[in-house]
Amino acid sequence: MGRKRLQEPADGRPTVHTVAARAGVSIASASRVLNGVGGSPETIRKVREAAAEVGYVPNAIARSLQSQRTGLVALAVEDIGNPVYVEMMRAIEAVVASSGRQLLVHATGGRIDNETALLRRLANRYVDGMIVSPIRVTDEHLTALTDSPVPVVVVGQLAADAPIDNVRTDSRHGVALAVDHLVATGRRRIGFVNGPLDTVPGAARDAGFRAALARHGIPLDDQLIEVGDFQYAAGRAATERLLARADPDALVCANDLIAVGALHALLVAGRRVPQDVALVGMDDTELARMMFPQLSSVSLGSAERGRRAAELLLQRIADAALPPRREQVPPNLVVRASSAATLPAPRPATGPPGPPTTHPSSEGVTA
């Protein structure tokens, strides 16, 4: 006898009831197979064949409502075009994908209202969890983070008593590594091009620069400090302002985008890098290796911070009762051509050339 004609729902889409009737099994059995819970080999075969015959497509929304899981994780950063966030995002996505989830990325522009609005939207449970990397942290942030109905991990600095999973680095120490290196190569007029001081990284890097100079006994010269934004154009403009009033023999830049802007400003001004001005950036992104000369830069472990944040988030999703965790990724200076040379000897005064000088002890020695 032929199969009984099935009555489809009003919108024409096959349902679990449709699949169960076609397979000749109970609705409960069909539902278990379609949701991956299992069944006997014969039941699984029948249900899968029936689903293929009727063109059944699982309703992801309904399934997420039943399981209280969406299969989505969000990442919120200031600027998705910044290479440091690109490296972080790639590492996070790899971990998230290994758990069968997908990553949604939000660009906040560093605006507090955008970040807190995203955190409030978590009440709708549109994702299973979120990783956020704010450059400014306010009381409103902390309240929204603490009250979040889904797990949140912060990449960046938080207060020691904040009850939130946190992955951080020590950019203050990172700046100190840069200054130590420049002093070791003979530099003393060391300038600093920073981002906004009302941001967490800007304030930390400013404090690190000042402390490092003091430790080396180098007087602080405000003429050698300039503040702009964490972007290429702002970094270039800030360096131009600094060069118009001061004569540095080295520059530390608060990130690689600023450092690239600084490099271009120096070259346009006729300053050789590193012979006249040594240059060190921060973040050690792909940009540092793409420039000529290649940029020395302090790695803050962007990819590693992203990987650890994603792992903490997945652990928190699996077990909400875990105590708050805090992990730290140490900075590391990577020296390249932009600062590798020691400070050259002063150029000779211009004038008529004198007689050649011979150095018998140097005969046969080549440079």
Side-chain angles (χ1 to χ4, degrees):
M1 187 170 72
R3 290 181 174 173
K4 182 178 179 180
R5 181 178 176 82
L6 300 173
Q7 184 175 358
E8 301 294 347
D11 62 4
R13 292 181 299 177
T15 65
V16 175
H17 296 73
T18 313
V19 175
R22 176 63 63 91
V25 300
S26 69
I27 294 172
S29 295
S31 179
R32 282 195 293 272
V33 174
L34 294 173
N35 284 292
V37 176
S40 69
E42 181 64 14
T43 299
I44 292 173
R45 182 188 64 79
K46 288 181 178 179
V47 171
R48 287 179 176 172
E49 287 180 357
E53 289 175 6
V54 302
Y56 172 79
V57 177
N59 187 326
I61 296 176
R63 289 175 65 177
S64 69
L65 289 174
Q66 292 174 355
S67 66
Q68 295 294 299
R69 291 285 185 267
T70 66
L72 301 173
V73 167
L75 169 65
V77 297
E78 177 203 11
D79 175 13
I80 58 176
N82 188 324
V84 70
Y85 295 128
V86 172
E87 293 185 7
M88 188 179 295
M89 177 183 65
R90 287 172 179 163
I92 291 171
E93 188 170 32
V95 176
V96 167
S98 70
S99 73
R101 293 178 171 85
Q102 291 181 307
L103 183 67
L104 301 178
V105 182
H106 299 271
T108 68
R111 290 175 49 185
I112 296 171
D113 56 341
N114 282 349
E115 291 167 354
T116 53
L118 275 173
L119 291 166
R120 285 194 297 270
R121 283 172 55 194
L122 295 181
N124 298 324
R125 304 188 72 89
Y126 77 100
V127 293
D128 296 337
M130 175 180 279
I131 298 170
V132 59
S133 184
I135 63 172
R136 296 174 177 87
V137 178
T138 65
D139 290 341
E140 189 178 359
H141 273 102
L142 293 174
T143 298
L145 289 165
T146 304
D147 294 343
S148 171
V150 302
V152 179
V153 176
V154 172
V155 179
Q157 298 288 333
L158 288 179
D161 58 349
I164 301 155
D165 292 330
N166 179 214
V167 180
R168 59 178 61 195
T169 187
D170 188 350
S171 59
R172 177 171 175 154
H173 179 55
V175 172
L177 292 176
V179 172
D180 291 349
H181 162 63
L182 293 170
V183 170
T185 62
R187 314 289 169 156
R188 290 297 182 273
R189 298 189 313 280
I190 303 172
F192 183 44
V193 186
N194 198 4
L197 294 177
D198 67 338
T199 64
V200 173
R205 293 168 199 189
D206 178 75
F209 179 76
R210 293 169 184 269
L213 287 186
R215 182 162 45 81
H216 286 287
I218 299 176
L220 180 68
D221 183 354
D222 288 333
Q223 296 297 306
L224 288 171
I225 297 178
E226 188 58 64
V227 173
D229 203 349
F230 293 112
Q231 301 295 333
Y232 162 82
R236 181 168 179 170
T239 304
E240 290 170 350
R241 294 193 298 270
L242 190 154
L243 293 176
R245 64 172 185 262
D247 184 27
D249 60 24
L251 286 179
V252 176
C253 297
N255 73 359
D256 286 347
L257 283 170
I258 294 175
V260 173
L263 174 62
H264 291 169
L266 288 165
L267 296 178
V268 169
R271 310 293 180 89
R272 299 170 302 167
V273 177
Q275 293 90 339
D276 299 330
V277 182
L279 184 63
V280 180
M282 292 193 74
D283 290 329
D284 193 33
T285 61
E286 290 181 345
L287 280 176
R289 298 181 291 278
M290 293 166 62
M291 292 298 103
F292 184 81
Q294 288 188 324
L295 289 170
S296 297
S297 188
V298 178
S299 171
L300 299 177
S302 301
E304 179 65 10
R305 284 184 288 153
R307 182 187 68 80
R308 293 195 193 185
E311 291 174 349
L312 289 181
L313 183 63
L314 294 181
Q315 294 165 11
R316 175 68 61 190
I317 290 172
D319 184 359
L322 288 171
R325 282 85 43 87
R326 177 175 291 111
E327 295 194 7
Q328 182 138 336
V329 176
N332 175 54
L333 174 65
V334 181
V335 176
R336 299 189 179 91
S338 71
S339 71
T342 58
L343 191 66
R347 295 178 180 177
T350 58
T357 302
T358 59
H359 299 278
S361 61
S362 299
E363 289 181 5
V365 177
T366 58

